[in-house]
Amino acid sequence: MGRKRSAGGIGASPASEDRCGLSLVKVARRVSRIYDACLEPAGIRITQFLAMTALKELGRGTLAELSQRLEVEQRTMARIVLSLQTAGLVRTERSSADRRRRLMELTRRGHRVLDKATPLWRAAQEQLELQN
């Protein structure tokens, strides 16, 4: 009898697939820690930087648009945006066209923080490339 083929490859067991998933989670956390450490002088984390960058590209956008752009669940994005609002980096207002929609945009302070954070993000990128 030959080996059974599974979604994880020939002879892969659920335990080996779990190890692969766990390894990916660990790598993602390490990468996030590198970005967070590099962005710390700007006072933001990588999740906030990505949301701010996407919002700058959009100009103004809704939570749904931002979530879709970053492929993040809306509940997660709502927490990120709330932290940015609390820090005075993002403001929201109701859409005049549809009062149910809330539009978000960077504040002046948000633009300044993003300008400060961008070279820090580039330094993190270079650090990750060197580790590769």
Side-chain angles (χ1 to χ4, degrees), residues 24-37:
L24 288 173
V25 168
K26 286 180 178 181
V27 167
R29 286 184 181 153
R30 283 187 196 127
V31 168
S32 288
R33 279 195 289 268
I34 289 169
Y35 279 115
D36 288 345

Side-chain angles (χ1 to χ4, degrees), residues 51 54-55 58-69 74 77 81 92-95 98 100-105:
L55 201 48
L58 286 171
R60 297 178 86 193
T62 65
L63 186 66
E65 291 167 334
L66 199 54
S67 298
Q68 183 178 11
R69 187 176 203 113
Q74 284 192 33
M77 186 55 64
V81 168
T92 63
E93 63 182 39
R94 295 219 181 266
S95 166
D98 183 348
R100 295 170 297 178
R101 294 179 58 189
R102 295 189 62 80
L103 297 173
M104 299 173 290
E105 65 183 345

Side-chain angles (χ1 to χ4, degrees), residues 11-124:
S13 69
S16 66
E17 290 172 7
D18 286 346
R19 284 192 301 271
C20 180
L22 181 59
S23 293
L24 288 173
V25 168
K26 286 180 178 181
V27 167
R29 286 184 181 153
R30 283 187 196 127
V31 168
S32 288
R33 279 195 289 268
I34 289 169
Y35 279 115
D36 288 345
C38 287
L39 290 168
E40 202 228 341
I44 60 174
R45 300 173 62 92
I46 186 61
T47 52
Q48 295 168 315
F49 175 81
L50 294 172
M52 292 172 71
T53 300
L55 201 48
K56 182 177 180 179
E57 291 169 359
L58 286 171
R60 297 178 86 193
T62 65
L63 186 66
E65 291 167 334
L66 199 54
S67 298
Q68 183 178 11
R69 187 176 203 113
L70 294 175
E71 297 183 16
V72 174
E73 290 184 24
Q74 284 192 33
R75 286 177 48 182
T76 301
M77 186 55 64
R79 285 193 304 271
I80 295 167
V81 168
L82 181 59
S83 71
L84 292 169
Q85 282 180 282
T86 302
L89 304 175
V90 167
R91 75 173 140 257
T92 63
E93 63 182 39
R94 295 219 181 266
S95 166
S96 58
D98 183 348
R99 302 293 293 162
R100 295 170 297 178
R101 294 179 58 189
R102 295 189 62 80
L103 297 173
M104 299 173 290
E105 65 183 345
L106 293 177
T107 62
R108 269 190 231 149
R109 182 168 184 246
H111 281 283
R112 285 193 307 269
V113 168
L114 188 56
D115 289 344
K116 180 178 181 178
T118 300
L120 301 171
W121 174 81
R122 285 191 185 106

Side-chain angles (χ1 to χ4, degrees), residues 27 31 34-35 123-132:
V27 167
V31 168
I34 289 169
Y35 279 115
Q125 289 282 99
E126 290 172 11
Q127 185 177 342
L128 287 168
E129 288 172 10
L130 290 174
Q131 289 183 11
N132 204 6

Side-chain angles (χ1 to χ4, degrees), residues 1-19:
M1 290 184 109
R3 292 183 124 174
K4 289 185 179 180
R5 192 176 260 282
S6 71
I10 295 177
S13 69
S16 66
E17 290 172 7
D18 286 346
R19 284 192 301 271

